[in-house]
């Protein structure tokens, strides 16, 4: 339709009819007038979501096909969301969730890269080949002590169902390109996405999209804060604090001097900087000069170069504090994540698609079930317009946004006023509201991905904005790391250094071992220490001798090979007992 025709039909004609209607309303009472005004407004789209917007946001037949498949698979969405929610596994311990997700994706015909970047529960699934390359990002860890108060069970369920709908749509309609699905562990407590990005798994991606549970229906394009997470350790000399204080060198003095110096530094940093710390080791008894002390810092800034500048100054303050206290300094654990690079073009495109698909619909049964849980209101059906504002929080997805245009669509799965990371959010993430939101999220992802696969102009506009924003940015260099202590012990495996055996508990392993499957235990240098091939004894408790001795506390690697499916899973780490 020509622009002039659209203006006539969508603006001038409705205004003329509206004026005539208002003139004629003088003959009616107040109630009838209100009904007439509301009807005219709804008919001619004079409010958001009305007729003008609906025409602009109509789905293409390919999008409708993908959305229909996602809707048909809603039972799968609910099953995944319910299962991951009930597993309630915290970061880097998502073993049951990993097995369920991997089995579903393999059965659906995806190529699944397991344990990506040597992280046991990280997954990248791929379908198709060539350009464009469209990715979906989701995470699936629970919050310690809370459960799925961030709705990650819903996010992953939506992402998997969307990916399957997309694969089937691409096959049926001959749509070219590559689809990637990133299922990421430990988003809440460790910087996994940046480690995966640093290992190159996001290279070559044209665009990345995702959904997330929340209280609004929106796709933001604002930024988050870059952050360094650093531990400063000091080592001094212990002495009796009363009888021989002159013989001691207090590591705690250095921690306190450092903290004072950092607090004076705040005046000389940009206003937006945020620095927080805790003392993780402050000594054990007041009458002993502390021989060790440590503090852990979060150093945040709107852009990573701001963080680098502050980090250098804080490191120097730590060195000065050690010099003043006469102790040694060790900068221990250090990990960094980048600020998010928002993409307004992609966020607004996602909003258009979301409005066309529609916000989650909640049935009377949904409302009744949720009321029994104490939630008497419903999640909003209104759409919130994105603002592009600055968040003072940090998010590991920031690193990925330095490599590819990215947006996340928030789906209203919780009632208004629900706080994220709360037990109320966790309860709703395992309720009819949460499940209906996940189904809606799968449709949005499917429709948005099809748009990006099939509309080269839309994708080019998204990439053009990304290229323009990255023009003066420094080269991305991954700063994130995950410390050894972060990893859970691989379930069901015990290495006994005294007896010189590996003990396998068939009931506790996350995998379902069968005859012909294999377990290999190696040291950190890669030397094989033990190998077990199951036969008729699969599923039983077994022991196998170590080929070499190990020390108490020594860290070893465990891998599991599924003979029938032909894959090897880096199962994780255990420490010798």
């Amino acid at each position: 339709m020509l622009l002039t025709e659209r203006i006539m039909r969508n603006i001038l004609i409705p205004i003329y009819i509206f004026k005539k209607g208002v003139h004629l309303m003088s003959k009616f009472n107040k109630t009838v007038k209100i009904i007439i005004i509301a009807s005219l407004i709804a008919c001619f789209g004079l409010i958001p979501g009305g007729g003008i917007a609906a025409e602009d946001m109509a789905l293409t037949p390919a999008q409708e096909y993908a959305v229909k498949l996602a809707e048909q698979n809603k039972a799968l969405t609910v099953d995944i969301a319910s299962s991951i929610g009930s597993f309630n596994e915290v970061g880097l311990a998502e073993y049951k969730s990993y097995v369920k997700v991997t089995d579903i994706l393999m059965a659906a015909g995806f190529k699944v890269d397991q344990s990506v970047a040597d992280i046991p529960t990280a997954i990248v699934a791929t379908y198709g080949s060539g350009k464009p390359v469209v990715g979906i990002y989701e995470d699936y860890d629970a919050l310690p002590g809370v459960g799925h108060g961030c709705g990650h069970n819903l996010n992953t369920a939506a992402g998997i169902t969307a990916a399957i709908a997309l694969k089937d749509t691409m096959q049926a309609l001959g749509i070219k390109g590559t689809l990637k699905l990133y299922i990421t562990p430990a988003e809440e407590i460790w910087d996994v996405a940046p480690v995966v990005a640093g290992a190159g798994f996001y290279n070559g991606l044209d665009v990345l999209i995702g959904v997330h549970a929340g209280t609004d229906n929106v796709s933001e394009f604002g930024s988050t804060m870059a952050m360094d997470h650093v531990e400063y350790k000091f080592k001094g000399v212990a002495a009796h604090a009363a009888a021989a204080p002159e013989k001691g060198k207090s590591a705690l003095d250095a921690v306190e001097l450092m903290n004072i110096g950092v607090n004076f530094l705040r005046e000389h940093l940009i206003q937006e900087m945020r620095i927080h710390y805790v003392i993780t080791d402050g000594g054990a008894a007041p009458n002993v000069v502390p021989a060790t002390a440590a503090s852990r810092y979060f150093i945040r800034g709107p852009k990573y170069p701001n963080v680098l500048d502050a980090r250098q100054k804080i490191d120097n303050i730590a060195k000065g504090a050690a010099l003043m206290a006469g102790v040694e300094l060790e900068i221990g654990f250090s990990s960094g994540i980048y600020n998010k690079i928002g993409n307004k073009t992609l966020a607004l495109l996602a909003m258009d698609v979301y409005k066309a698909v529609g916000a989650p619909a909640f049935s009377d049964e949904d409302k009744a079930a949720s009321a029994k849980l104490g939630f008497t209101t419903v999640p909003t059906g209104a759409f919130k317009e994105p603002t592009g504002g600055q968040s003072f929080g940090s998010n590991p997805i920031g690193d990925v946004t330095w490599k590819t245009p990215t947006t996340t669509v928030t789906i209203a799965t919780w009632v208004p006023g629900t706080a994220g990371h709360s037990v109320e959010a966790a309860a709703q993430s395992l309720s009819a509201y949460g499940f209906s939101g996940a189904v809606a999220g799968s449709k949005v992802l499917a429709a948005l991905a099809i748009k990006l696969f099939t509309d080269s102009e839309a994708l080019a506009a998204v990439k053009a904005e990304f290229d323009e924003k990255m023009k003066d940015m420094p080269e991305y260099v991954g700063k994130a790391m995950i410390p050894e202590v972060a990893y859970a012990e691989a379930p069901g495996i015990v290495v006994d250094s005294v007896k010189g055996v590996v003990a396998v508990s068939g009931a506790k392993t996350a995998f379902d071992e069968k005859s012909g499957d294999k377990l290999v235990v190696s040291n950190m240098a890669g030397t094989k220490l033990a190998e077990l091939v199951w036969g008729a004894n699969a599923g039983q408790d077994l022991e196998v001798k170590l080929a070499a001795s190990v020390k108490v506390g020594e860290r070893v690697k465990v891998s599991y090979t599924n003979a029938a499916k032909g894959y090897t899973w880096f199962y994780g780490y255990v420490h010798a007992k």
Side-chain angles (χ1 to χ4, degrees):
M1 185 186 298
L2 294 175
L3 180 59
T4 52
E5 293 175 325
R6 292 182 64 185
I7 292 172
M8 283 290 294
R9 199 185 84 173
N10 291 330
I11 299 176
L12 299 181
I13 293 174
I15 289 174
Y16 174 79
I17 295 173
F18 190 85
K19 285 182 176 180
K20 286 292 185 182
V22 170
H23 174 71
L24 292 171
M25 282 193 301
S26 59
K27 300 178 180 180
F28 301 107
N29 63 34
K30 183 178 179 181
T31 302
V32 175
K33 289 178 182 178
I34 291 172
I35 294 170
I36 292 172
I37 290 172
S39 300
L40 288 168
I41 288 172
C43 287
F44 296 114
L46 299 178
I47 57 174
I52 299 172
E55 181 188 344
D56 290 344
M57 294 184 293
L59 297 177
T60 66
Q63 287 177 303
E64 289 177 345
Y65 190 95
V67 167
K68 183 179 180 181
L69 290 181
E71 170 67 23
Q72 290 173 350
N73 260 339
K74 64 182 179 182
L76 175 64
T77 305
V78 173
D79 173 61
I80 297 170
S82 177
S83 297
I84 294 176
S86 63
F87 294 153
N88 195 23
E89 296 170 307
V90 299
L92 299 178
E94 306 95 341
Y95 280 93
K96 293 177 182 177
S97 303
Y98 177 94
V99 170
K100 183 172 186 69
V101 167
T102 301
D103 285 349
I104 290 171
L105 291 170
M106 285 183 173
F110 284 84
K111 172 185 173 292
V112 180
D113 289 317
Q114 303 191 63
S115 310
V116 297
D118 289 333
I119 300 169
T121 52
I123 302 167
V124 179
T126 305
Y127 168 75
S129 61
K131 289 284 191 175
V133 183
V134 177
I136 295 174
Y137 171 96
E138 304 300 349
D139 30 43
Y140 64 163
D141 57 316
L143 287 156
V146 174
H148 277 280
C150 206
H152 290 180
N153 60 317
L154 307 177
N155 306 348
T156 288
I160 292 171
T161 301
I164 294 171
L166 285 163
K167 171 185 168 291
D168 293 344
T169 301
M170 293 168 76
Q171 282 182 328
L173 304 183
I175 296 171
K176 304 298 182 184
T178 303
L179 172 65
K180 287 184 173 289
L181 174 63
Y182 298 82
I183 303 296
T184 306
E187 187 271 343
E188 296 292 356
I189 52 177
W190 298 111
D191 303 330
V192 173
V195 172
V196 174
F201 284 91
Y202 289 93
N203 293 352
L205 204 61
D206 288 303
V207 65
L208 183 70
I209 59 176
V211 294
H212 202 292
T215 55
D216 294 316
N217 296 304
V218 68
S219 183
E220 275 294 353
F221 56 89
S223 184
T224 56
M225 299 279 268
M227 185 183 80
D228 263 11
H229 177 185
V230 197
E231 186 174 45
Y232 296 93
K233 299 179 178 180
F234 297 92
K235 184 178 180 182
V237 177
H240 195 294
E246 73 281 359
K247 294 182 179 179
K249 294 181 179 180
S250 174
L252 182 58
D253 284 356
V255 165
E256 294 189 286
L257 287 166
M258 177 188 172
N259 294 343
I260 292 169
V262 170
N263 287 332
F264 276 101
L265 173 66
R266 296 176 192 273
E267 179 186 356
H268 307 289
L269 299 174
I270 62 172
Q271 294 284 347
E272 296 83 3
M273 293 296 296
R274 298 289 187 272
I275 302 172
H276 354 280
Y277 61 84
V278 293
I279 297 175
T280 54
D281 175 11
N287 65 339
V288 179
V289 174
T292 63
S295 59
R296 182 170 291 182
Y297 272 73
F298 280 7
I299 308 166
R300 303 183 199 251
K303 295 182 179 179
Y304 200 73
N306 305 136
V307 173
L308 291 177
D309 174 65
R311 169 66 187 276
Q312 183 180 34
K313 293 172 180 174
I314 291 171
D315 284 356
N316 286 336
I317 290 171
K319 293 172 186 175
L323 186 63
M324 285 188 286
V327 300
E328 299 173 10
L329 167 67
E330 176 193 350
I331 297 179
F333 171 75
S334 177
S335 182
I337 59 177
Y338 283 65
N339 55 293
K340 181 181 176 183
I341 306 295
N343 193 294
K344 184 176 181 179
T345 306
L346 180 57
L348 295 182
L349 177 64
M351 286 300 297
D352 286 346
V353 170
Y354 190 6
K355 290 174 182 177
V357 171
F362 303 106
S363 66
D364 290 340
E365 290 79 7
D366 290 345
K367 296 172 185 176
S370 296
K372 290 179 181 178
L373 297 175
F375 304 106
T376 55
T377 56
V378 298
T380 182
F383 291 98
K384 179 181 177 182
E385 292 306 313
T387 62
Q390 171 72 52
S391 166
F392 286 97
S394 304
N395 193 313
I397 196 68
D399 281 52
V400 181
T401 69
W402 280 61
K403 299 180 78 69
T404 188
T406 305
T407 198
T408 300
V409 181
T410 301
I411 309 291
T413 54
W414 310 326
V415 300
T418 302
H421 291 200
S422 67
V423 292
E424 292 79 14
Q428 291 173 81
S429 295
L430 273 167
S431 75
Y433 287 165
F435 297 153
S436 294
V439 172
S442 70
K443 297 177 186 178
V444 174
L445 285 173
L448 180 55
I450 289 295
K451 178 71 173 176
L452 294 164
F453 273 122
T454 59
D455 189 335
S456 58
E457 289 185 6
L459 180 58
V462 168
K463 296 179 73 172
E465 179 181 333
F466 175 77
D467 292 341
E468 180 63 27
K469 285 189 172 181
M470 298 306 295
K471 213 177 337 185
D472 298 321
M473 292 289 192
E475 181 182 358
Y476 171 81
V477 179
K479 306 285 185 180
M481 64 162 290
I482 302 170
E484 179 179 329
V485 296
Y487 290 94
E489 297 285 290
I493 311 296
V494 175
V495 175
D496 190 323
S497 63
V498 178
K499 293 172 63 177
V501 299
V502 177
V504 181
S505 173
K508 294 180 179 178
T509 56
F511 46 77
D512 183 19
E513 62 269 23
K514 304 293 184 184
S515 178
D517 292 353
K518 182 170 66 176
L519 186 83
V520 173
V521 177
S522 307
N523 63 22
M524 295 305 292
T527 302
K528 186 189 295 184
L529 298 173
E531 179 177 297
L532 168 65
V533 179
W534 281 280
N537 55 4
Q540 301 176 18
D541 292 350
L542 301 170
E543 287 187 353
V544 59
K545 281 284 186 183
L546 289 166
S549 63
V550 296
K551 299 176 182 178
V552 174
E554 183 177 343
R555 190 188 196 201
V556 299
K557 300 189 290 186
V558 182
S559 62
Y560 161 74
T561 298
N562 185 305
K565 297 181 179 178
Y567 68 78
T568 297
W569 171 17
F570 169 51
Y571 187 56
Y573 304 98
V574 296
H575 291 81
K577 308 295 184 185

